[in-house]
Amino acid sequence: AAPSSPLPYFMHQSVPNACGTIALIHSFANLPPHLRSEGGEGWLEAFVASTSHKTPLERAAALEEDSGLEEKHNEMAMQGDTRVQDFGQSGSPGGFNAVLHFIAYVHIDGVLYELDGMKKAPRARGATSPETLLKDTAALVLSEMGDDMRVNLLALAPAQ
C-alpha cells in the first residue's frame, strides 16, 4: 500500500555503496498505488510492505539483514564487466574508486522531495506535479551541479 502520511517512505543508508539500492527503494516505495501494482509481488513490494510501519533506521537494519538481496546482488554484480572486487581500492591495477552517489526525487502531495539515505530525513525541495516531476527534478539537479555535468536521471513511469 502507498504511504498513508504526506511524508514519503524514507530509509537511511547503513550499507556501504548501497545508495543505488536505497534510491531504487525510495523511488518504488513512493510510486502511486496504480503504478506500484505494475511491479507485481517481487522483492521490492515485499520489502516495502514489511517495513512500511518501521522507522528509517529500522528499515536500514532490515536491508542489512536481508541475505536474499545480498546474495542476488553479489551474483548479478559478478556477471558484468566491472571489477567490483576492486571498488574502493583506488590505485590498484584496474581498480575503481566509487565517488558517485544516487539520490531519489519523488512527488508526494504536490511537493518535490529529495530522498538521500545519507541524510537525516527527506528534504522538501519545492512544488511539483506528476506531469512536471521530471522537468522540475532535472532543473533542480542541474542548478545545483554547476559545471559538473556527471548527472544521470532515471524515471520510474508506467509502461506505454
Side-chain angles (χ1 to χ4, degrees):
S4 58
S5 72
L7 289 178
Y9 177 103
F10 178 77
M11 64 184 294
H12 292 290
Q13 178 184 336
S14 58
V15 176
N17 291 324
C19 57
T21 300
I22 302 298
L24 179 61
I25 293 169
H26 281 152
S27 297
F28 179 81
N30 290 292
L31 284 172
H34 69 282
L35 295 179
R36 283 217 5 226
S37 66
E38 288 188 25
E41 295 296 323
W43 181 88
L44 275 171
E45 180 61 38
F47 180 82
V48 171
S50 69
T51 60
S52 63
H53 63 284
K54 297 181 183 240
T55 68
L57 285 173
E58 290 170 335
R59 292 171 180 159
L63 186 65
E64 283 183 47
E65 296 166 4
D66 193 311
S67 61
L69 176 64
E70 179 181 8
E71 290 168 14
K72 191 57 146 174
H73 177 272
N74 290 337
E75 175 187 320
M76 297 301 290
M78 298 310 289
Q79 291 180 14
D81 293 332
T82 304
R83 293 175 44 95
V84 293
Q85 64 271 24
D86 291 337
F87 273 31
Q89 298 177 14
S90 64
S92 66
F96 177 79
N97 188 14
V99 294
L100 305 175
H101 187 57
F102 294 88
I103 300 169
Y105 293 87
V106 300
H107 164 258
I108 303 286
D109 292 338
V111 178
L112 173 61
Y113 283 97
E114 177 182 284
L115 306 176
D116 182 346
M118 299 299 287
K119 306 284 182 173
K120 291 182 180 181
R123 183 175 174 200
R125 299 304 305 259
T128 194
S129 70
E131 296 77 24
T132 63
L133 174 62
L134 186 57
K135 180 182 83 161
D136 296 337
T137 300
L140 173 67
V141 170
L142 292 174
S143 74
E144 293 190 355
M145 292 300 293
D147 292 334
D148 188 356
M149 296 306 290
R150 293 179 297 162
V151 174
N152 288 300
L153 296 177
L154 169 79
L156 297 182
Q160 299 283 329

